[in-house]
Amino acid sequence: TGLATALSVPKFMFNIWAAICAFQALSIAKSALASDGNEMSQADITAATAANWAATRAIGSATPLRDTILTALLSGYAVRNGSAGGDATIHSAGLQMMSSFTTVLAVLGVVSSAAAKIPVVSDSANLVSVLGIAAYYAMVTREGNGTVKKAVNAGIL
């Protein structure tokens, strides 16, 4: 009870990592076999490498919130492209999913962590849930969310 369950993501949503891996493998294969110039850009290769490094760090980490935030920042599609509304291509879908999912985890983790440090809030799982929903609502309804971000958010809801 309490903070541990106040802000939880449905467990089935963690299967998204398999989809992320599949899209990244397909992207590499498409790039390696491309004869039409539809190869991964150096920026995409670098972003995928950095994001995968951070995601790997988060597994079994002693500081999972920090590493999840790092993963969200490094996989941040919007940060690299100036908008989250880009089309999902075989080269961008994996990172867009990783960015969307880890951003949700990071926001809910920060709300939960901050709430744990405030005595008045930490005693009320309902209040923590409301804070988490408010943060999630702000993220979901912001201008420029792309198709992948909307799909990940719908799956979590």
Side-chain angles (χ1 to χ4, degrees):
T1 64
L3 293 176
T5 59
L7 299 175
S8 59
V9 173
K11 293 207 183 295
F12 72 86
M13 280 304 298
F14 286 91
N15 293 328
I16 197 168
W17 289 107
I20 291 168
C21 290
F23 274 107
Q24 287 185 356
L26 288 170
S27 176
I28 291 168
K30 168 77 170 138
S31 185
L33 300 173
S35 61
D36 59 357
N38 187 11
E39 300 172 347
M40 288 179 73
S41 68
Q42 186 60 47
D44 287 339
I45 293 169
T46 303
T49 302
N52 287 336
W53 170 80
T56 302
R57 263 183 68 101
I59 298 169
S61 172
T63 54
L65 179 57
R66 181 195 65 196
D67 291 329
T68 300
I69 292 169
L70 182 63
T71 304
L73 290 172
L74 290 176
S75 65
Y77 182 79
V79 174
R80 287 193 321 280
N81 296 300
S83 125
D87 291 335
T89 67
I90 194 164
H91 295 309
S92 69
L95 275 182
Q96 284 184 1
M97 283 190 281
M98 184 186 296
S99 173
S100 298
F101 187 64
T102 56
T103 299
V104 170
L105 294 179
V107 166
L108 294 180
V110 166
V111 168
S112 182
S113 178
K117 294 177 182 2
I118 303 169
V120 174
V121 177
S122 66
D123 293 336
S124 174
N126 290 336
L127 184 55
V128 174
S129 294
V130 168
L131 292 173
I133 289 169
Y136 189 71
Y137 177 79
M139 205 173 34
V140 169
T141 59
R142 74 177 188 80
E143 186 72 28
N145 282 342
T147 306
V148 173
K149 189 164 212 52
K150 289 176 184 174
V152 169
N153 287 330
I156 291 172
L157 286 176

